Amino acid sequence: MKKVLFVCTQNRLRSPTAENIFRNSRGIQVKSAGLDPHAKVHLTSDLVEWADIIFVMENIHLEKIKKKYSGKLRGKKLICLNIPDEYDFMQSQLIEILKDRVPKHLKSLK
């Protein structure tokens, strides 16, 4: 079972949407977190260690994770989905983008 982590800024819109969409996908466990100190679920070193693959929504998230958790990223895939913070939770356009961009990376985990 591969472990997939979705990360955005506040863990309120984009990453929880991704978690909801892929929660019941075969062969993976899914969690989400945010980088902001006030995030609903804050990204921790334990979550980084837990994950096999980490999807971030923007390049700024990628850079922050690389900087803060560099020692914990060995052997992990870190992928930027390039999804700006302009969507609501479970918004149809966001769901469409996630369903288009995420699965190809999950296939490489098998």
Side-chain angles (χ1 to χ4, degrees):
M1 183 77 72
K2 294 296 181 177
K3 298 170 186 150
V4 178
L5 180 64
F6 292 98
V7 178
C8 67
T9 305
Q10 294 207 347
N11 189 233
R12 298 188 194 289
L13 305 173
R14 294 172 289 173
S15 60
T17 297
E19 181 180 7
N20 276 353
I21 291 168
F22 296 102
R23 173 177 286 140
N24 297 317
S25 296
R26 187 174 305 188
I28 63 171
Q29 290 179 303
V30 180
K31 293 184 181 183
S32 66
L35 291 167
D36 190 84
H38 304 292
K40 191 173 176 186
V41 175
H42 191 266
L43 184 64
T44 63
S45 59
D46 285 344
L47 279 172
V48 172
E49 285 183 32
W50 171 85
D52 295 309
I53 184 168
I54 302 169
F55 287 101
V56 299
M57 300 298 156
E58 300 176 60
N59 277 322
I60 188 81
H61 304 142
L62 192 70
E63 296 308 316
K64 286 182 179 180
I65 290 172
K66 283 181 179 178
K67 185 176 180 180
K68 187 169 183 178
Y69 300 104
S70 61
K72 308 227 182 254
L73 296 173
R74 179 181 229 90
K76 300 185 184 298
K77 285 190 169 195
L78 194 57
I79 297 165
C80 181
L81 297 171
N82 294 307
I83 301 174
D85 191 9
E86 57 187 40
Y87 300 98
D88 290 325
F89 177 69
M90 295 302 287
Q91 184 176 338
S92 59
Q93 292 96 329
L94 175 57
I95 292 168
E96 191 175 307
I97 292 167
L98 288 164
K99 284 183 174 181
D100 179 59
R101 296 182 187 175
V102 171
K104 60 187 165 198
H105 297 289
L106 296 178
K107 287 178 186 166
S108 68
L109 286 178
K110 308 277 191 233

mmCIF file of all heavy atoms in Angstrom, residues 4-45:
data_model
loop_
_atom_site.group_PDB
_atom_site.id
_atom_site.type_symbol
_atom_site.label_atom_id
_atom_site.label_comp_id
_atom_site.label_asym_id
_atom_site.label_seq_id
_atom_site.Cartn_x
_atom_site.Cartn_y
_atom_site.Cartn_z
ATOM 1 N N VAL A 4 0.170 8.396 0.023
ATOM 2 C CA VAL A 4 0.151 9.618 -0.772
ATOM 3 C C VAL A 4 -0.287 10.789 0.104
ATOM 4 O O VAL A 4 -1.300 10.723 0.786
ATOM 5 C CB VAL A 4 -0.824 9.468 -1.962
ATOM 6 C CG1 VAL A 4 -0.897 10.756 -2.775
ATOM 7 C CG2 VAL A 4 -0.414 8.282 -2.839
ATOM 8 N N LEU A 5 0.505 11.867 0.047
ATOM 9 C CA LEU A 5 0.213 13.070 0.828
ATOM 10 C C LEU A 5 0.005 14.245 -0.113
ATOM 11 O O LEU A 5 0.822 14.480 -1.005
ATOM 12 C CB LEU A 5 1.383 13.362 1.779
ATOM 13 C CG LEU A 5 1.265 14.585 2.668
ATOM 14 C CD1 LEU A 5 0.103 14.454 3.647
ATOM 15 C CD2 LEU A 5 2.576 14.800 3.432
ATOM 16 N N PHE A 6 -1.099 14.964 0.072
ATOM 17 C CA PHE A 6 -1.382 16.175 -0.693
ATOM 18 C C PHE A 6 -1.165 17.373 0.213
ATOM 19 O O PHE A 6 -1.671 17.394 1.341
ATOM 20 C CB PHE A 6 -2.823 16.168 -1.210
ATOM 21 C CG PHE A 6 -3.089 15.126 -2.248
ATOM 22 C CD1 PHE A 6 -3.679 13.914 -1.909
ATOM 23 C CD2 PHE A 6 -2.748 15.345 -3.574
ATOM 24 C CE1 PHE A 6 -3.934 12.940 -2.859
ATOM 25 C CE2 PHE A 6 -2.989 14.376 -4.539
ATOM 26 C CZ PHE A 6 -3.585 13.173 -4.185
ATOM 27 N N VAL A 7 -0.446 18.380 -0.295
ATOM 28 C CA VAL A 7 -0.114 19.545 0.512
ATOM 29 C C VAL A 7 -0.483 20.833 -0.217
ATOM 30 O O VAL A 7 -0.182 20.998 -1.405
ATOM 31 C CB VAL A 7 1.400 19.568 0.847
ATOM 32 C CG1 VAL A 7 1.772 20.804 1.652
ATOM 33 C CG2 VAL A 7 1.803 18.307 1.603
ATOM 34 N N CYS A 8 -1.138 21.736 0.510
ATOM 35 C CA CYS A 8 -1.387 23.089 0.015
ATOM 36 C C CYS A 8 -1.056 24.056 1.152
ATOM 37 O O CYS A 8 -0.296 23.713 2.061
ATOM 38 C CB CYS A 8 -2.811 23.252 -0.515
ATOM 39 S SG CYS A 8 -4.126 23.134 0.707
ATOM 40 N N THR A 9 -1.590 25.242 1.110
ATOM 41 C CA THR A 9 -1.231 26.243 2.106
ATOM 42 C C THR A 9 -1.959 26.024 3.430
ATOM 43 O O THR A 9 -1.334 25.859 4.469
ATOM 44 C CB THR A 9 -1.507 27.662 1.570
ATOM 45 O OG1 THR A 9 -0.809 27.825 0.328
ATOM 46 C CG2 THR A 9 -1.042 28.721 2.560
ATOM 47 N N GLN A 10 -3.284 26.022 3.412
ATOM 48 C CA GLN A 10 -4.037 25.968 4.658
ATOM 49 C C GLN A 10 -4.808 24.668 4.880
ATOM 50 O O GLN A 10 -5.511 24.540 5.872
ATOM 51 C CB GLN A 10 -4.998 27.152 4.739
ATOM 52 C CG GLN A 10 -4.258 28.454 4.832
ATOM 53 C CD GLN A 10 -5.064 29.521 5.530
ATOM 54 O OE1 GLN A 10 -6.263 29.385 5.756
ATOM 55 N NE2 GLN A 10 -4.400 30.596 5.878
ATOM 56 N N ASN A 11 -4.687 23.720 3.967
ATOM 57 C CA ASN A 11 -5.380 22.440 4.087
ATOM 58 C C ASN A 11 -6.884 22.652 4.274
ATOM 59 O O ASN A 11 -7.522 22.009 5.107
ATOM 60 C CB ASN A 11 -4.791 21.610 5.237
ATOM 61 C CG ASN A 11 -5.328 20.195 5.263
ATOM 62 O OD1 ASN A 11 -5.813 19.732 6.285
ATOM 63 N ND2 ASN A 11 -5.258 19.504 4.152
ATOM 64 N N ARG A 12 -7.441 23.565 3.498
ATOM 65 C CA ARG A 12 -8.875 23.829 3.577
ATOM 66 C C ARG A 12 -9.588 23.621 2.236
ATOM 67 O O ARG A 12 -10.771 23.302 2.225
ATOM 68 C CB ARG A 12 -9.135 25.254 4.066
ATOM 69 C CG ARG A 12 -8.612 25.500 5.454
ATOM 70 C CD ARG A 12 -9.052 26.838 5.999
ATOM 71 N NE ARG A 12 -8.328 27.242 7.185
ATOM 72 C CZ ARG A 12 -8.453 26.697 8.393
ATOM 73 N NH1 ARG A 12 -9.256 25.691 8.570
ATOM 74 N NH2 ARG A 12 -7.761 27.150 9.415
ATOM 75 N N LEU A 13 -8.879 23.805 1.123
ATOM 76 C CA LEU A 13 -9.544 23.738 -0.182
ATOM 77 C C LEU A 13 -8.910 22.694 -1.106
ATOM 78 O O LEU A 13 -9.526 21.675 -1.400
ATOM 79 C CB LEU A 13 -9.528 25.125 -0.839
ATOM 80 C CG LEU A 13 -10.128 26.266 0.000
ATOM 81 C CD1 LEU A 13 -9.898 27.602 -0.670
ATOM 82 C CD2 LEU A 13 -11.595 26.028 0.259
ATOM 83 N N ARG A 14 -7.711 22.963 -1.569
ATOM 84 C CA ARG A 14 -7.119 22.104 -2.596
ATOM 85 C C ARG A 14 -6.698 20.729 -2.086
ATOM 86 O O ARG A 14 -7.108 19.704 -2.644
ATOM 87 C CB ARG A 14 -5.927 22.819 -3.252
ATOM 88 C CG ARG A 14 -6.344 24.050 -4.030
ATOM 89 C CD ARG A 14 -5.156 24.858 -4.504
ATOM 90 N NE ARG A 14 -4.512 25.505 -3.357
ATOM 91 C CZ ARG A 14 -3.375 26.178 -3.416
ATOM 92 N NH1 ARG A 14 -2.735 26.288 -4.572
ATOM 93 N NH2 ARG A 14 -2.875 26.756 -2.344
ATOM 94 N N SER A 15 -5.873 20.682 -1.060
ATOM 95 C CA SER A 15 -5.399 19.361 -0.612
ATOM 96 C C SER A 15 -6.513 18.498 -0.015
ATOM 97 O O SER A 15 -6.540 17.286 -0.266
ATOM 98 C CB SER A 15 -4.195 19.479 0.329
ATOM 99 O OG SER A 15 -4.487 20.210 1.490
ATOM 100 N N PRO A 16 -7.478 19.051 0.741
ATOM 101 C CA PRO A 16 -8.580 18.192 1.193
ATOM 102 C C PRO A 16 -9.461 17.696 0.041
ATOM 103 O O PRO A 16 -9.994 16.585 0.103
ATOM 104 C CB PRO A 16 -9.394 19.083 2.139
ATOM 105 C CG PRO A 16 -8.502 20.197 2.513
ATOM 106 C CD PRO A 16 -7.544 20.363 1.372
ATOM 107 N N THR A 17 -9.587 18.511 -1.011
ATOM 108 C CA THR A 17 -10.327 18.056 -2.193
ATOM 109 C C THR A 17 -9.616 16.854 -2.800
ATOM 110 O O THR A 17 -10.240 15.838 -3.104
ATOM 111 C CB THR A 17 -10.466 19.190 -3.235
ATOM 112 O OG1 THR A 17 -11.239 20.257 -2.673
ATOM 113 C CG2 THR A 17 -11.134 18.694 -4.510
ATOM 114 N N ALA A 18 -8.301 16.959 -2.951
ATOM 115 C CA ALA A 18 -7.517 15.848 -3.503
ATOM 116 C C ALA A 18 -7.638 14.609 -2.620
ATOM 117 O O ALA A 18 -7.820 13.494 -3.116
ATOM 118 C CB ALA A 18 -6.058 16.260 -3.655
ATOM 119 N N GLU A 19 -7.561 14.804 -1.308
ATOM 120 C CA GLU A 19 -7.699 13.677 -0.384
ATOM 121 C C GLU A 19 -9.056 13.000 -0.572
ATOM 122 O O GLU A 19 -9.148 11.767 -0.641
ATOM 123 C CB GLU A 19 -7.536 14.153 1.056
ATOM 124 C CG GLU A 19 -7.642 13.037 2.071
ATOM 125 C CD GLU A 19 -7.477 13.494 3.508
ATOM 126 O OE1 GLU A 19 -7.409 14.722 3.769
ATOM 127 O OE2 GLU A 19 -7.421 12.616 4.391
ATOM 128 N N ASN A 20 -10.117 13.787 -0.684
ATOM 129 C CA ASN A 20 -11.465 13.229 -0.882
ATOM 130 C C ASN A 20 -11.580 12.453 -2.184
ATOM 131 O O ASN A 20 -12.185 11.385 -2.226
ATOM 132 C CB ASN A 20 -12.517 14.343 -0.867
ATOM 133 C CG ASN A 20 -12.950 14.714 0.528
ATOM 134 O OD1 ASN A 20 -12.574 14.072 1.500
ATOM 135 N ND2 ASN A 20 -13.732 15.765 0.637
ATOM 136 N N ILE A 21 -11.022 12.999 -3.244
ATOM 137 C CA ILE A 21 -11.135 12.370 -4.563
ATOM 138 C C ILE A 21 -10.420 11.023 -4.607
ATOM 139 O O ILE A 21 -10.926 10.055 -5.167
ATOM 140 C CB ILE A 21 -10.556 13.294 -5.656
ATOM 141 C CG1 ILE A 21 -11.434 14.517 -5.830
ATOM 142 C CG2 ILE A 21 -10.427 12.555 -6.986
ATOM 143 C CD1 ILE A 21 -10.783 15.586 -6.678
ATOM 144 N N PHE A 22 -9.226 10.961 -4.014
ATOM 145 C CA PHE A 22 -8.399 9.759 -4.150
ATOM 146 C C PHE A 22 -8.447 8.835 -2.933
ATOM 147 O O PHE A 22 -7.789 7.798 -2.923
ATOM 148 C CB PHE A 22 -6.959 10.163 -4.485
ATOM 149 C CG PHE A 22 -6.863 10.848 -5.814
ATOM 150 C CD1 PHE A 22 -6.739 12.229 -5.887
ATOM 151 C CD2 PHE A 22 -6.948 10.132 -6.988
ATOM 152 C CE1 PHE A 22 -6.679 12.881 -7.114
ATOM 153 C CE2 PHE A 22 -6.898 10.767 -8.223
ATOM 154 C CZ PHE A 22 -6.759 12.135 -8.288
ATOM 155 N N ARG A 23 -9.251 9.183 -1.958
ATOM 156 C CA ARG A 23 -9.346 8.416 -0.701
ATOM 157 C C ARG A 23 -9.659 6.938 -0.926
ATOM 158 O O ARG A 23 -9.126 6.070 -0.244
ATOM 159 C CB ARG A 23 -10.414 9.038 0.190
ATOM 160 C CG ARG A 23 -10.712 8.235 1.441
ATOM 161 C CD ARG A 23 -11.716 8.924 2.318
ATOM 162 N NE ARG A 23 -11.029 10.034 2.963
ATOM 163 C CZ ARG A 23 -11.573 11.243 3.149
ATOM 164 N NH1 ARG A 23 -12.787 11.504 2.740
ATOM 165 N NH2 ARG A 23 -10.883 12.185 3.747
ATOM 166 N N ASN A 24 -10.512 6.632 -1.869
ATOM 167 C CA ASN A 24 -10.931 5.247 -2.086
ATOM 168 C C ASN A 24 -10.227 4.572 -3.262
ATOM 169 O O ASN A 24 -10.683 3.534 -3.747
ATOM 170 C CB ASN A 24 -12.449 5.187 -2.272
ATOM 171 C CG ASN A 24 -13.172 5.641 -1.022
ATOM 172 O OD1 ASN A 24 -12.798 5.274 0.089
ATOM 173 N ND2 ASN A 24 -14.190 6.465 -1.182
ATOM 174 N N SER A 25 -9.130 5.157 -3.704
ATOM 175 C CA SER A 25 -8.372 4.564 -4.811
ATOM 176 C C SER A 25 -7.665 3.300 -4.331
ATOM 177 O O SER A 25 -7.114 3.266 -3.228
ATOM 178 C CB SER A 25 -7.345 5.554 -5.356
ATOM 179 O OG SER A 25 -7.986 6.671 -5.914
ATOM 180 N N ARG A 26 -7.672 2.310 -5.168
ATOM 181 C CA ARG A 26 -7.066 1.018 -4.839
ATOM 182 C C ARG A 26 -5.541 1.143 -4.731
ATOM 183 O O ARG A 26 -4.898 1.771 -5.563
ATOM 184 C CB ARG A 26 -7.412 0.011 -5.915
ATOM 185 C CG ARG A 26 -6.985 -1.398 -5.583
ATOM 186 C CD ARG A 26 -7.471 -2.344 -6.599
ATOM 187 N NE ARG A 26 -8.924 -2.190 -6.710
ATOM 188 C CZ ARG A 26 -9.702 -2.977 -7.408
ATOM 189 N NH1 ARG A 26 -9.183 -3.961 -8.086
ATOM 190 N NH2 ARG A 26 -10.994 -2.781 -7.454
ATOM 191 N N GLY A 27 -4.990 0.545 -3.690
ATOM 192 C CA GLY A 27 -3.539 0.446 -3.560
ATOM 193 C C GLY A 27 -2.849 1.635 -2.922
ATOM 194 O O GLY A 27 -1.623 1.656 -2.841
ATOM 195 N N ILE A 28 -3.620 2.639 -2.494
ATOM 196 C CA ILE A 28 -2.991 3.795 -1.856
ATOM 197 C C ILE A 28 -3.739 4.194 -0.580
ATOM 198 O O ILE A 28 -4.932 3.948 -0.448
ATOM 199 C CB ILE A 28 -2.883 5.023 -2.785
ATOM 200 C CG1 ILE A 28 -4.271 5.530 -3.204
ATOM 201 C CG2 ILE A 28 -2.014 4.722 -3.988
ATOM 202 C CD1 ILE A 28 -4.241 6.865 -3.946
ATOM 203 N N GLN A 29 -2.990 4.797 0.329
ATOM 204 C CA GLN A 29 -3.549 5.483 1.487
ATOM 205 C C GLN A 29 -3.315 6.962 1.236
ATOM 206 O O GLN A 29 -2.268 7.342 0.704
ATOM 207 C CB GLN A 29 -2.833 5.078 2.767
ATOM 208 C CG GLN A 29 -3.097 3.677 3.223
ATOM 209 C CD GLN A 29 -2.322 3.380 4.486
ATOM 210 O OE1 GLN A 29 -1.109 3.507 4.506
ATOM 211 N NE2 GLN A 29 -3.026 2.992 5.528
ATOM 212 N N VAL A 30 -4.256 7.802 1.636
ATOM 213 C CA VAL A 30 -4.183 9.220 1.312
ATOM 214 C C VAL A 30 -4.384 10.079 2.562
ATOM 215 O O VAL A 30 -5.250 9.785 3.387
ATOM 216 C CB VAL A 30 -5.252 9.590 0.259
ATOM 217 C CG1 VAL A 30 -5.189 11.055 -0.092
ATOM 218 C CG2 VAL A 30 -5.087 8.753 -0.989
ATOM 219 N N LYS A 31 -3.574 11.130 2.660
ATOM 220 C CA LYS A 31 -3.733 12.146 3.707
ATOM 221 C C LYS A 31 -3.481 13.504 3.058
ATOM 222 O O LYS A 31 -2.940 13.592 1.956
ATOM 223 C CB LYS A 31 -2.739 11.932 4.853
ATOM 224 C CG LYS A 31 -2.981 10.668 5.636
ATOM 225 C CD LYS A 31 -2.023 10.561 6.818
ATOM 226 C CE LYS A 31 -2.271 9.263 7.584
ATOM 227 N NZ LYS A 31 -1.403 9.176 8.765
ATOM 228 N N SER A 32 -3.844 14.571 3.792
ATOM 229 C CA SER A 32 -3.552 15.919 3.308
ATOM 230 C C SER A 32 -3.112 16.789 4.481
ATOM 231 O O SER A 32 -3.427 16.495 5.640
ATOM 232 C CB SER A 32 -4.760 16.536 2.605
ATOM 233 O OG SER A 32 -5.817 16.758 3.510
ATOM 234 N N ALA A 33 -2.389 17.856 4.134
ATOM 235 C CA ALA A 33 -1.890 18.776 5.153
ATOM 236 C C ALA A 33 -1.619 20.125 4.510
ATOM 237 O O ALA A 33 -1.623 20.269 3.291
ATOM 238 C CB ALA A 33 -0.610 18.220 5.784
ATOM 239 N N GLY A 34 -1.357 21.124 5.369
ATOM 240 C CA GLY A 34 -1.038 22.466 4.894
ATOM 241 C C GLY A 34 0.247 22.969 5.520
ATOM 242 O O GLY A 34 0.659 22.497 6.589
ATOM 243 N N LEU A 35 0.862 23.927 4.868
ATOM 244 C CA LEU A 35 2.130 24.481 5.338
ATOM 245 C C LEU A 35 1.962 25.666 6.283
ATOM 246 O O LEU A 35 2.854 25.968 7.061
ATOM 247 C CB LEU A 35 2.993 24.903 4.145
ATOM 248 C CG LEU A 35 3.523 23.740 3.309
ATOM 249 C CD1 LEU A 35 4.082 24.246 1.998
ATOM 250 C CD2 LEU A 35 4.570 22.979 4.090
ATOM 251 N N ASP A 36 0.847 26.331 6.214
ATOM 252 C CA ASP A 36 0.600 27.499 7.056
ATOM 253 C C ASP A 36 0.464 27.066 8.522
ATOM 254 O O ASP A 36 -0.114 26.014 8.799
ATOM 255 C CB ASP A 36 -0.697 28.182 6.595
ATOM 256 C CG ASP A 36 -0.906 29.522 7.250
ATOM 257 O OD1 ASP A 36 -0.342 30.503 6.755
ATOM 258 O OD2 ASP A 36 -1.657 29.570 8.256
ATOM 259 N N PRO A 37 0.977 27.874 9.454
ATOM 260 C CA PRO A 37 0.842 27.517 10.877
ATOM 261 C C PRO A 37 -0.616 27.354 11.321
ATOM 262 O O PRO A 37 -0.895 26.659 12.280
ATOM 263 C CB PRO A 37 1.494 28.687 11.614
ATOM 264 C CG PRO A 37 2.348 29.362 10.617
ATOM 265 C CD PRO A 37 1.760 29.093 9.263
ATOM 266 N N HIS A 38 -1.538 27.986 10.609
ATOM 267 C CA HIS A 38 -2.959 27.902 10.952
ATOM 268 C C HIS A 38 -3.713 26.891 10.093
ATOM 269 O O HIS A 38 -4.943 26.903 10.049
ATOM 270 C CB HIS A 38 -3.612 29.284 10.830
ATOM 271 C CG HIS A 38 -2.928 30.318 11.656
ATOM 272 N ND1 HIS A 38 -2.942 30.313 13.029
ATOM 273 C CD2 HIS A 38 -2.179 31.382 11.294
ATOM 274 C CE1 HIS A 38 -2.233 31.328 13.483
ATOM 275 N NE2 HIS A 38 -1.760 31.998 12.446
ATOM 276 N N ALA A 39 -2.987 26.022 9.410
ATOM 277 C CA ALA A 39 -3.615 25.012 8.554
ATOM 278 C C ALA A 39 -4.499 24.094 9.379
ATOM 279 O O ALA A 39 -4.229 23.836 10.560
ATOM 280 C CB ALA A 39 -2.540 24.196 7.841
ATOM 281 N N LYS A 40 -5.531 23.591 8.742
ATOM 282 C CA LYS A 40 -6.457 22.657 9.406
ATOM 283 C C LYS A 40 -5.675 21.449 9.944
ATOM 284 O O LYS A 40 -5.831 21.057 11.082
ATOM 285 C CB LYS A 40 -7.528 22.235 8.407
ATOM 286 C CG LYS A 40 -8.666 21.489 9.004
ATOM 287 C CD LYS A 40 -9.746 21.276 7.949
ATOM 288 C CE LYS A 40 -10.874 20.442 8.500
ATOM 289 N NZ LYS A 40 -11.835 20.115 7.449
ATOM 290 N N VAL A 41 -4.865 20.837 9.095
ATOM 291 C CA VAL A 41 -3.905 19.807 9.495
ATOM 292 C C VAL A 41 -2.545 20.326 9.059
ATOM 293 O O VAL A 41 -2.307 20.528 7.868
ATOM 294 C CB VAL A 41 -4.194 18.443 8.820
ATOM 295 C CG1 VAL A 41 -3.111 17.442 9.161
ATOM 296 C CG2 VAL A 41 -5.566 17.932 9.216
ATOM 297 N N HIS A 42 -1.659 20.571 10.020
ATOM 298 C CA HIS A 42 -0.355 21.151 9.715
ATOM 299 C C HIS A 42 0.629 20.057 9.291
ATOM 300 O O HIS A 42 0.655 18.977 9.879
ATOM 301 C CB HIS A 42 0.183 21.904 10.938
ATOM 302 C CG HIS A 42 1.370 22.734 10.624
ATOM 303 N ND1 HIS A 42 2.651 22.273 10.784
ATOM 304 C CD2 HIS A 42 1.474 23.987 10.138
ATOM 305 C CE1 HIS A 42 3.495 23.218 10.415
ATOM 306 N NE2 HIS A 42 2.808 24.267 10.016
ATOM 307 N N LEU A 43 1.428 20.349 8.263
ATOM 308 C CA LEU A 43 2.443 19.408 7.802
ATOM 309 C C LEU A 43 3.499 19.229 8.893
ATOM 310 O O LEU A 43 4.028 20.206 9.413
ATOM 311 C CB LEU A 43 3.097 19.906 6.513
ATOM 312 C CG LEU A 43 4.121 18.943 5.900
ATOM 313 C CD1 LEU A 43 3.454 17.645 5.453
ATOM 314 C CD2 LEU A 43 4.842 19.598 4.740
ATOM 315 N N THR A 44 3.784 17.979 9.211
ATOM 316 C CA THR A 44 4.788 17.658 10.225
ATOM 317 C C THR A 44 5.834 16.726 9.629
ATOM 318 O O THR A 44 5.613 16.120 8.575
ATOM 319 C CB THR A 44 4.141 16.942 11.426
ATOM 320 O OG1 THR A 44 3.592 15.688 10.961
ATOM 321 C CG2 THR A 44 3.055 17.797 12.074
ATOM 322 N N SER A 45 6.936 16.579 10.327
ATOM 323 C CA SER A 45 7.970 15.653 9.860
ATOM 324 C C SER A 45 7.438 14.219 9.869
ATOM 325 O O SER A 45 7.815 13.410 9.014
ATOM 326 C CB SER A 45 9.239 15.779 10.696
ATOM 327 O OG SER A 45 8.986 15.506 12.043
#
